[in-house]
Amino acid sequence: MSDQASFRAQTLIEALPYIQRFSGQTVVIKYGGAAMKDEALKTSFALNVILLREVGIYPVVVHGGGPQIGRLLERLNISCEFVEGMRVTSPEVMDVVQMVLVGQVNTSIVGLINQHGGKAVGINGHSGLLTQAEKMQVTRQASEDQPPEIIDVGLVGKVVKVNPQVLHALEHGRFIPIIAPVGVGPDGESLNINADLVASAMAAGLRASKLVLLTDTPGVLDDKGELITELTRAKARELMQKGVIKGGMIPKVNCCLEALEAGVESAHIIDGRVPNALLLEIFTDKGVGTILEG
Ligand SMILES: Nc1ncnc2c1ncn2[C@@H]1O[C@H](COP(=O)(O)OP(=O)(O)OP(=O)(O)O)[C@@H](O)[C@H]1O
Ligand SMILES: [Mg+2]
């Protein structure tokens, strides 16, 4: 037998304890827009998700699309501002957000998985009222001697309630759900929700065993720019206060902490630019990012 064949067999055996441990459990995966740049990596992601499903794990994918939304807004000459990391969303911007997330990003992930033999179905917050939301109130502390100012960020939402019925129905049919982070407001309106928030709400609502956030950095970095492999709650809060964790990393870390509070066993922020990042994180001891444990 060739060395290569024997190495492959060994690799499969090494994955066995992890497969046994996680088979039958739900893993919620957030695929960040920033990690979706490269075609080969997108294919690697699709194959990883299919493999998880084939070994009896239930992957639920929530995707972002920040850079993709930014590009279309630019092409359409629609300017838009960011406040506290949140995109100020006018009705005109919301149309673009929905077009990009549901029409473009969601459909392309579903297509890629199906093209490689998986059974993916694209849904969003409106589907079976999956992601019920309300407008988010954003406050900004301009100076210490003044009360915080309330800023209207438009059609930006936060999750109020998740209705996992549609996910259970898909699981029953062995479909892989791919969720776009568009929520449905009290009057049936679409709200733009940060995908990290949607992922953590799904993880809590489904009692997932893991929440895995794939992004475009090695994980959470410290003040020297070095990877923190294990992050405690206390350290996470300290780094946010000091401003070491900032921008798009803030909702990610907060969502991990909330998911852990809700009973999810572990939350991972990993480097989506590494081929097979998902499999490496779930099926080996050497993760590829930062783990937060409950
Ligand atoms: N301490 C930190 N460690 C690592 N990254 C950090 C840190 N603080 C801020 N960041 C920033 O957070 C960014 C990741 O969040 P971002 O919202 O840009 O991507 P995403 O959530 O993966 O994609 P999307 O928002 O489209 O879903 C990194 O690219 C990095 O610039
Ligand atoms: Mg983000």
Side-chain angles (χ1 to χ4, degrees):
M1 203 191 342
S2 74
D3 282 354
Q4 205 187 16
S6 147
F7 177 75
R8 280 200 190 133
Q10 192 55 36
T11 306
L12 284 171
I13 293 298
E14 276 167 25
L16 183 59
Y18 296 94
I19 295 173
Q20 285 169 324
R21 191 157 136 215
F22 298 119
S23 185
Q25 299 190 18
T26 302
V27 174
V28 175
I29 303 151
K30 150 78 196 302
Y31 190 30
M36 273 179 220
K37 284 182 187 138
D38 178 299
E39 288 307 316
L41 284 176
K42 279 202 260 184
T43 304
S44 151
F45 173 79
L47 292 173
N48 281 206
V49 169
I50 295 169
L51 196 138
L52 290 179
R53 187 66 195 80
E54 292 298 338
V55 298
I57 294 170
Y58 304 120
V60 172
V61 177
V62 180
H63 61 83
Q68 293 80 353
I69 293 165
R71 277 200 294 276
L72 186 57
L73 285 172
E74 207 172 295
R75 267 170 55 196
L76 297 172
N77 262 321
I78 301 171
S79 60
C80 117
E81 218 195 310
F82 276 86
V83 175
E84 307 287 300
M86 233 82 64
R87 185 188 295 282
V88 179
T89 308
S90 64
E92 192 188 22
V93 170
M94 189 62 224
D95 281 346
V96 176
V97 167
Q98 186 160 290
M99 270 191 260
V100 171
L101 291 176
V102 179
Q104 186 191 348
V105 180
N106 188 280
T107 306
S108 84
I109 298 172
V110 170
L112 199 58
I113 292 178
N114 292 347
Q115 197 193 328
H116 288 91
K119 284 193 349 178
V121 171
I123 53 176
N124 64 73
H126 288 278
S127 316
L129 293 177
L130 173 65
T131 320
Q132 296 163 38
E134 66 183 25
K135 272 181 78 170
M136 189 187 260
Q137 283 273 5
V138 177
T139 54
R140 180 163 54 185
Q141 188 83 46
S143 65
E144 270 183 25
D145 51 348
Q146 282 184 6
E149 127 192 54
I150 297 172
I151 306 159
D152 186 9
V153 287
L155 297 168
V156 174
K158 64 173 185 197
V159 183
V160 177
K161 192 176 160 220
V162 162
N163 178 3
Q165 241 178 337
V166 60
L167 298 176
H168 295 316
L170 292 176
E171 183 188 310
H172 197 69
R174 300 183 60 87
F175 290 103
I176 301 169
I178 312 295
I179 304 170
V182 170
V184 49
D187 300 317
E189 73 276 29
S190 292
L191 294 172
N192 175 18
I193 311 180
N194 180 299
D196 302 327
L197 266 65
V198 175
S200 97
M202 294 302 152
L206 290 169
R207 300 177 200 291
S209 59
K210 278 180 193 292
L211 170 66
V212 186
L213 310 176
L214 279 94
T215 185
D216 66 339
T217 71
V220 181
L221 307 176
D222 65 15
D223 50 353
K224 298 186 190 72
E226 272 164 35
L227 174 67
I228 304 168
T229 51
E230 279 172 48
L231 186 61
T232 61
R233 280 156 210 263
K235 185 81 187 161
R237 296 212 172 93
E238 182 200 318
L239 290 178
M240 281 194 273
Q241 256 160 17
K242 286 188 179 157
V244 174
I245 292 174
K246 51 184 190 286
M249 194 49 72
I250 295 176
K252 252 178 257 307
V253 170
N254 279 329
C255 284
C256 287
L257 296 177
E258 274 164 31
L260 295 175
E261 292 284 333
V264 175
E265 283 160 35
S266 64
H268 310 244
I269 298 173
I270 67 169
D271 195 343
R273 301 164 307 174
V274 173
N276 300 313
L278 254 182
L279 296 188
L280 289 168
E281 189 68 26
I282 297 176
F283 293 142
T284 72
D285 282 333
K286 310 182 193 65
V288 283
T290 303
I291 179 166
L292 292 95
E293 267 174 299

XYZ file of all heavy atoms in Angstrom, residues 30-35 63-68 194-196 214-222 239 243-252, ligand 1:
269
model
N -21.131 30.598 10.934
C -21.271 31.916 10.295
C -20.125 32.060 9.297
O -18.957 31.912 9.638
C -21.187 33.015 11.357
C -20.618 34.349 10.894
C -21.585 35.208 10.119
C -20.899 36.325 9.345
N -20.096 37.256 10.069
N -20.518 32.289 8.043
C -19.530 32.441 6.987
C -19.447 33.928 6.664
O -20.373 34.498 6.079
C -20.004 31.626 5.785
C -19.021 31.445 4.668
C -17.652 31.422 4.905
C -19.464 31.275 3.363
C -16.769 31.237 3.856
C -18.584 31.091 2.316
C -17.235 31.073 2.575
O -16.349 30.901 1.543
N -18.380 34.555 7.071
C -18.248 36.006 6.944
C -18.011 36.444 5.514
O -17.334 35.756 4.740
N -18.607 37.574 5.172
C -18.440 38.120 3.828
C -16.977 38.357 3.490
O -16.545 38.165 2.343
N -16.218 38.724 4.509
C -14.808 39.026 4.286
C -13.991 37.769 3.951
O -12.939 37.851 3.328
C -14.235 39.721 5.517
N -14.502 36.602 4.359
C -13.773 35.349 4.094
C -14.200 34.706 2.771
O -13.733 33.648 2.395
C -13.994 34.364 5.238
N -24.782 33.448 6.627
C -23.686 34.140 5.947
C -23.778 35.644 6.106
O -24.847 36.194 6.370
C -23.654 33.764 4.458
C -24.903 34.145 3.736
N -25.114 35.413 3.260
C -26.015 33.434 3.443
C -26.306 35.451 2.691
N -26.881 34.271 2.794
N -22.646 36.303 5.938
C -22.586 37.763 5.937
C -22.552 38.243 4.498
O -23.009 37.558 3.586
N -22.005 39.411 4.312
C -21.918 39.956 2.946
C -21.558 41.431 2.935
O -21.825 42.114 1.948
N -20.970 41.905 4.023
C -20.600 43.324 4.124
C -19.850 43.849 2.897
O -20.296 44.810 2.260
N -18.736 43.214 2.508
C -17.972 43.730 1.368
C -18.773 43.698 0.060
O -18.671 44.604 -0.765
C -16.767 42.782 1.283
C -16.663 42.131 2.618
C -18.055 42.082 3.161
N -19.598 42.651 -0.114
C -20.404 42.519 -1.335
C -21.460 43.632 -1.398
O -21.721 44.195 -2.461
C -21.073 41.138 -1.367
C -20.129 39.945 -1.523
C -19.435 39.514 -0.222
O -19.519 40.153 0.817
N -18.715 38.408 -0.290
N -26.794 42.209 11.600
C -25.430 41.672 11.542
C -25.514 40.137 11.622
O -26.185 39.588 12.498
C -24.626 42.234 12.719
C -23.197 41.726 12.732
O -22.958 40.521 12.839
N -22.256 42.632 12.593
N -24.841 39.469 10.693
C -24.977 38.010 10.595
C -24.449 37.279 11.835
O -24.914 36.179 12.149
C -24.256 37.506 9.344
N -23.514 37.891 12.543
C -23.027 37.257 13.782
C -24.177 37.118 14.786
O -24.313 36.102 15.464
C -21.908 38.088 14.428
C -20.714 38.301 13.505
O -20.423 37.396 12.700
O -20.079 39.369 13.583
N -16.500 32.038 10.883
C -15.344 32.105 9.973
C -15.169 33.544 9.498
O -16.105 34.141 8.977
C -15.581 31.257 8.727
C -15.325 29.759 8.845
C -16.611 29.062 9.186
C -14.766 29.220 7.557
N -13.975 34.083 9.669
C -13.752 35.450 9.234
C -12.414 35.577 8.500
O -11.862 34.568 8.038
C -13.914 36.417 10.433
O -13.804 37.750 9.970
C -12.894 36.155 11.530
N -11.928 36.796 8.372
C -10.725 37.018 7.557
C -9.497 37.402 8.385
O -8.641 38.121 7.912
C -10.996 38.099 6.503
C -11.230 39.470 7.140
O -11.567 39.526 8.342
O -11.068 40.478 6.434
N -9.460 36.967 9.647
C -8.253 37.158 10.456
C -7.934 35.808 11.095
O -8.790 34.922 11.125
C -8.442 38.190 11.593
O -9.295 37.601 12.575
C -9.050 39.480 11.095
N -6.723 35.659 11.640
C -6.367 34.365 12.250
C -7.244 33.996 13.445
O -7.222 32.855 13.905
C -4.915 34.583 12.711
C -4.416 35.718 11.879
C -5.595 36.601 11.638
N -8.033 34.940 13.945
C -8.857 34.714 15.138
C -8.876 36.040 15.879
O -8.752 37.098 15.257
N -9.038 35.981 17.206
C -8.964 37.228 17.982
C -7.489 37.518 18.278
O -6.770 36.652 18.768
C -9.767 37.123 19.295
C -9.701 38.441 20.060
C -11.213 36.738 19.007
N -7.052 38.724 17.952
C -5.648 39.097 18.138
C -5.502 39.979 19.383
O -6.402 40.763 19.707
C -5.131 39.847 16.904
C -5.332 39.132 15.554
C -4.860 40.018 14.407
C -4.598 37.791 15.532
N -4.347 39.852 20.064
C -4.105 40.686 21.248
C -3.483 42.026 20.842
O -3.376 42.334 19.644
C -3.246 39.920 22.278
C -1.848 39.617 21.758
O -1.445 40.230 20.745
O -1.173 38.766 22.356
N -10.371 43.209 26.784
C -9.850 43.623 25.467
C -10.830 44.533 24.733
O -10.420 45.392 23.962
C -9.518 42.397 24.610
C -8.319 41.575 25.070
C -8.121 40.366 24.178
C -7.046 42.412 25.110
N -10.189 48.566 23.744
C -10.230 48.897 22.318
C -9.322 48.018 21.470
O -9.088 48.314 20.298
N -8.821 46.916 22.044
C -7.996 45.984 21.251
C -8.924 45.173 20.337
O -8.616 44.911 19.180
C -7.183 45.042 22.183
C -6.444 43.987 21.376
C -6.215 45.852 23.038
N -10.074 44.800 20.886
C -11.119 44.177 20.064
C -12.023 45.314 19.610
O -12.618 46.004 20.439
C -11.911 43.143 20.885
C -11.016 41.942 21.220
C -13.165 42.693 20.129
C -11.646 40.925 22.137
N -12.093 45.539 18.301
C -12.892 46.670 17.806
C -13.608 46.308 16.498
O -13.476 45.175 16.021
C -11.996 47.907 17.619
C -10.733 47.663 16.797
C -9.893 48.940 16.776
C -8.761 48.861 15.785
N -7.647 48.012 16.195
N -14.345 47.276 15.942
C -15.008 47.095 14.641
C -15.826 45.821 14.568
O -16.564 45.478 15.486
N -15.657 45.107 13.459
C -16.438 43.899 13.208
C -16.169 42.773 14.195
O -16.928 41.797 14.242
N -15.086 42.881 14.976
C -14.788 41.821 15.945
C -15.655 41.949 17.203
O -15.863 40.969 17.911
C -13.296 41.858 16.299
C -12.747 40.649 17.010
S -13.148 39.050 16.279
C -12.141 39.032 14.813
N -16.183 43.168 17.459
C -16.990 43.377 18.670
C -18.266 42.524 18.639
O -18.488 41.738 19.571
C -17.315 44.881 18.881
C -16.019 45.645 19.155
C -18.315 45.066 20.020
C -16.207 47.145 19.285
N -19.099 42.628 17.577
C -20.298 41.772 17.588
C -19.952 40.282 17.634
O -20.683 39.489 18.241
C -21.016 42.124 16.277
C -20.060 42.905 15.461
C -19.090 43.532 16.409
N -18.820 39.918 17.019
C -18.440 38.502 17.011
C -18.183 37.987 18.427
O -18.720 36.950 18.831
C -17.152 38.318 16.199
C -17.404 37.648 14.877
C -16.129 37.515 14.084
C -16.102 38.541 13.018
N -17.322 38.497 12.188
N -8.616 42.210 18.176
C -8.956 41.894 16.909
N -8.552 40.716 16.394
C -8.874 40.360 15.114
N -9.615 41.129 14.278
C -10.055 42.336 14.736
C -9.749 42.766 16.073
N -10.331 43.973 16.256
C -10.947 44.284 15.107
N -10.814 43.322 14.164
C -11.371 43.388 12.802
O -12.540 42.575 12.672
C -12.664 42.198 11.301
C -13.648 41.053 11.098
O -14.993 41.511 11.110
P -15.794 41.905 9.759
O -17.158 42.348 10.204
O -14.989 42.833 8.954
O -15.852 40.536 8.918
P -16.955 39.378 8.907
O -17.881 39.535 10.086
O -16.200 38.099 8.807
O -17.760 39.609 7.569
P -19.299 40.150 7.435
O -19.409 41.340 8.338
O -19.451 40.445 6.000
O -20.184 39.027 7.860
C -11.237 41.847 10.940
O -11.012 41.922 9.555
C -10.410 42.891 11.721
O -10.096 43.999 10.911
